[in-house]
Amino acid sequence: MNPDSQNVTDYTNNNTIFMVWSFRDNLEVGAVFSKLCKLIINLNNSANVRFPVSRASCVMGIGYDAWLKLKLPVPLPKELADFAPIVGGKHTAVSTKGDLHFHIRADTTSICYDMAEAISDVLSPVAISTEEIHGFRYWDSRSILGFVDGTENPQGQDRELFSMIGDEDADYKGGSYLFTQKYIHNLSAWKDLTIEDQEKVIGRYKANDIEMSDEVKPSNSHIALANVGDDFKIVRDNMPFGNMSTNEMGTYFIAYASTFTTVQKMLNNMFIGSSEGNYDRILDFSTAKTGTLFFVPTFNMIDDFSG
């Protein structure tokens, strides 16, 4: 039987709510988690029936500590672990805690709010919400920095290939590794750059999203360092968020991958550099405030977890 995977290959939607929850200490959470698993299945089934064209879904990820606390199957997914900080000469990919991650998305905001409310009602007695980000689609999928985000995303059947575990970890086939980071941008400093200098930071031309040639593209540009080869891709579903009046605009980076090693390569290039010290120039304007690794089980597994 082929695994029934969660909606990790869906394309970017117009509205998103990202939530991270952490279990309270010294509480029994098994019964609540079973109830939550039933809810996640019901939310997705209901969305498919009630709003078939809205592309509404809720993807749940589980962190390493939560996997152990909940006594989920062993051995664990091969690369599920606490994310270790990546410390470069100037910038750091920080590590932050999180037990459960929810990626809620739809064409309309109403469904997102209803899903977030239902999840919060179940989890509130035993867990604390440590992050809630309301993302939005900005023009033609641009980040708030003004450049199209996700151009390197795999398309078609390649999305499944690069985002889902295969036979190499048969017990978890159809699952995915999920890595998230909340970035806050220094828009004031970014706006001080000329368009030409912004383009050199990114490695693409701003208006038409065309990648610079290798002869022109700086070696410390974001494109040069974040792209680690055609055989190593991830499915991104980044979304901008924030408050413009307080200069607290950001990007929520979210990556689904068949192997966390691919994400690790990207982060090492960005924060340490390739070669060392040649770090991603975008980090001078974008600061990582969080960094957490989760595992996204299949619906079959969630059904098992529900008891």
Side-chain angles (χ1 to χ4, degrees):
M1 183 178 67
N2 290 327
D4 184 9
S5 300
Q6 293 193 65
N7 295 57
V8 302
T9 60
D10 285 5
Y11 288 87
T12 302
N13 221 314
N14 291 333
N15 304 282
T16 303
I17 297 178
F18 303 104
M19 293 196 300
V20 179
W21 288 77
S22 293
F23 291 123
R24 301 174 190 268
D25 293 333
N26 304 317
L27 287 179
E28 170 54 45
V29 297
V32 169
F33 182 67
S34 295
K35 184 178 180 181
L36 175 69
C37 288
K38 292 183 175 72
L39 174 65
I40 297 302
I41 292 172
N42 286 334
L43 288 177
N44 283 284
N45 288 343
S46 177
N48 287 336
V49 172
R50 294 174 64 204
F51 311 104
V53 298
S54 73
R55 299 185 298 125
S57 66
C58 174
V59 177
M60 179 177 71
I62 305 170
Y64 173 77
D65 289 340
W67 194 280
L68 299 179
K69 183 180 181 73
L70 292 164
K71 298 180 173 61
L72 299 182
V74 291
L76 278 65
K78 289 182 178 178
E79 293 190 71
L80 180 59
D82 277 333
F83 172 63
I86 297 175
V87 181
K90 187 173 182 181
H91 301 289
T92 297
V94 298
S95 172
T96 51
K97 293 292 186 182
D99 287 330
L100 299 172
H101 185 281
F102 301 94
H103 179 191
I104 302 167
R105 52 190 163 180
D107 282 338
T108 57
T109 57
S110 303
I111 312 168
C112 295
Y113 278 100
D114 283 355
M115 287 186 175
E117 179 185 27
I119 291 167
S120 300
D121 286 347
V122 170
L123 279 177
S124 292
V126 300
I128 299 170
S129 173
T130 56
E131 200 74 71
E132 182 172 327
I133 300 291
H134 292 227
F136 60 93
R137 183 182 177 95
Y138 183 55
W139 295 113
D140 48 338
S141 289
R142 292 177 186 261
S143 79
I144 208 67
L145 298 180
F147 288 77
V148 175
D149 197 356
T151 303
E152 291 293 326
N153 261 350
Q155 303 296 315
Q157 292 182 342
D158 281 348
R159 291 176 74 80
E160 183 173 327
L161 172 67
F162 288 112
S163 68
M164 295 181 186
I165 294 169
D167 292 330
E168 70 278 2
D169 195 358
D171 289 342
Y172 296 99
K173 184 175 181 179
S176 299
Y177 293 100
L178 163 63
F179 182 72
T180 64
Q181 290 175 301
K182 180 178 76 173
Y183 284 90
I184 297 296
H185 306 309
N186 185 340
L187 283 185
S188 299
W190 181 253
K191 290 174 184 176
D192 285 342
L193 298 180
T194 64
I195 298 296
E196 182 180 9
D197 284 340
Q198 289 181 2
E199 290 172 338
K200 288 177 180 177
V201 171
I202 301 296
R204 291 184 182 276
Y205 296 105
K206 193 170 188 177
N208 58 20
D209 190 40
I210 293 175
E211 185 175 345
M212 292 177 172
S213 66
D214 290 341
E215 293 76 24
V216 175
K217 181 170 49 188
S219 63
N220 66 346
S221 67
H222 180 61
I223 298 301
L225 292 169
N227 185 354
V228 292
D230 291 341
D231 293 331
F232 301 96
K233 289 185 176 291
I234 57 175
V235 171
R236 298 173 177 84
D237 205 354
N238 304 351
M239 295 291 269
F241 68 90
N243 298 292
M244 191 63 75
S245 63
T246 57
N247 193 33
E248 293 177 296
M249 296 301 294
T251 296
Y252 197 81
F253 170 72
I254 177 167
Y256 293 110
S258 59
T259 168
F260 181 64
T261 303
T262 297
V263 182
Q264 194 88 35
K265 289 177 186 290
M266 294 172 52
L267 295 172
N268 285 340
N269 274 8
M270 290 174 62
F271 285 85
I272 296 174
S274 179
S275 56
E276 187 170 344
N278 186 53
Y279 66 87
D280 191 336
R281 182 81 200 291
I282 201 173
L283 297 177
D284 289 338
F285 307 93
S286 303
T287 301
K289 298 294 188 179
T290 67
T292 319
L293 176 63
F294 302 91
F295 178 76
V296 177
T298 63
F299 280 119
N300 313 79
M301 296 185 70
I302 293 175
D303 188 42
D304 289 341
F305 298 161
S306 75

